[in-house]
Amino acid sequence: MNTIEFLQISSAIVPDREALVEVGGNNKRITYMEMYPLVVKLANALQGLGIEKGQTVSVMSVNSADYVLTYYACAMLGVTFVPLNYRAKDEELTHMLNVSQSVAVFVSDRYVDLVERIRPALSHTQHFIAYDGGQAGYLNYDQLIEHAGEDEIWTEIDDHDATIIIFTSGTTALPKGVQL
């Protein structure tokens, strides 16, 4: 079962129920009915960048609605989601991005400087996407969604396909990726 099906079911059964609520800052609230089309558009945008099943996409951000939308867009495509620990050292982050072979990294504004420090050492990352937009050398997250198609995407997922890779803390060596 593809985890995107959980969102599809909820959007069909309880479309008006709030799915995501951000606390603080902008207090963004998104219902299931609003969430699913955003995920579809983001999945189309990623596919438009050439990102496809079996590849990996990383995220360096604090929790947000956009973070969750990114996870589900990856699930829709059969792309493995890799959350990064922004407290990790530059060497560890470089290792995580290179070992996971992440083809794209989503970054919130507060971590752009960190990503820029390690960017020259990244061997697989082709796309840098700014959640907060306006970053030179980064694709704008909101514009990606705004200009993306609305066609639903169905990807056949095997029970053994990884949906997420979570890296260990690396207390005795470099972090190791755990596939779930």
Side-chain angles (χ1 to χ4, degrees):
M1 176 176 199
N2 188 333
T3 55
I4 191 65
E5 292 176 54
F6 294 116
L7 177 57
Q8 290 169 325
I9 292 166
S10 296
S11 66
I13 295 174
V14 289
D16 295 325
R17 187 176 294 168
E18 287 183 335
L20 301 171
V21 177
E22 285 187 7
V23 187
N26 60 11
N27 292 320
K28 184 187 281 187
R29 295 176 175 277
I30 300 173
T31 65
Y32 284 105
M33 181 173 34
E34 296 165 331
M35 183 178 172
Y36 187 69
L38 291 171
V39 168
V40 169
K41 288 188 79 157
L42 182 55
N44 275 283
L46 293 175
Q47 193 173 59
L49 293 174
I51 298 171
E52 57 190 24
K53 180 181 177 183
Q55 292 184 311
T56 57
V57 168
S58 294
V59 176
M60 181 162 306
S61 177
V62 293
N63 291 335
S64 68
D66 295 334
Y67 190 105
V68 176
L69 295 173
T70 304
Y71 167 77
Y72 277 108
C74 288
M76 182 171 275
L77 292 174
V79 169
T80 305
F81 182 81
V82 182
L84 297 172
N85 181 352
Y86 56 84
R87 292 185 179 118
K89 297 174 188 165
D90 291 7
E91 174 189 10
E92 294 168 330
L93 290 168
T94 303
H95 171 75
M96 289 184 249
L97 283 158
N98 287 339
V99 165
S100 67
Q101 298 181 356
S102 290
V103 296
V105 62
F106 285 77
V107 184
S108 63
D109 192 38
R110 75 193 297 186
Y111 304 114
V112 169
D113 290 341
L114 181 87
V115 170
E116 283 304 300
R117 282 198 313 265
I118 66 172
R119 190 172 181 165
L122 301 180
S123 56
H124 297 89
T125 310
Q126 303 162 13
H127 306 286
F128 295 82
I129 302 158
Y131 280 129
D132 305 311
Q135 300 297 329
Y138 286 71
L139 298 169
N140 181 298
Y141 173 81
D142 290 327
Q143 288 179 358
L144 278 177
I145 291 176
E146 183 181 329
H147 300 296
E150 299 176 2
D151 296 332
E152 285 193 71
I153 299 169
W154 175 255
T155 305
E156 186 68 35
I157 303 296
D158 185 83
D159 288 341
H160 300 290
D161 291 339
T163 188
I164 191 168
I165 297 174
I166 298 176
F167 278 88
T168 64
S169 63
T171 53
T172 59
L174 286 171
K176 293 167 186 63
V178 178
Q179 292 184 352
L180 302 173

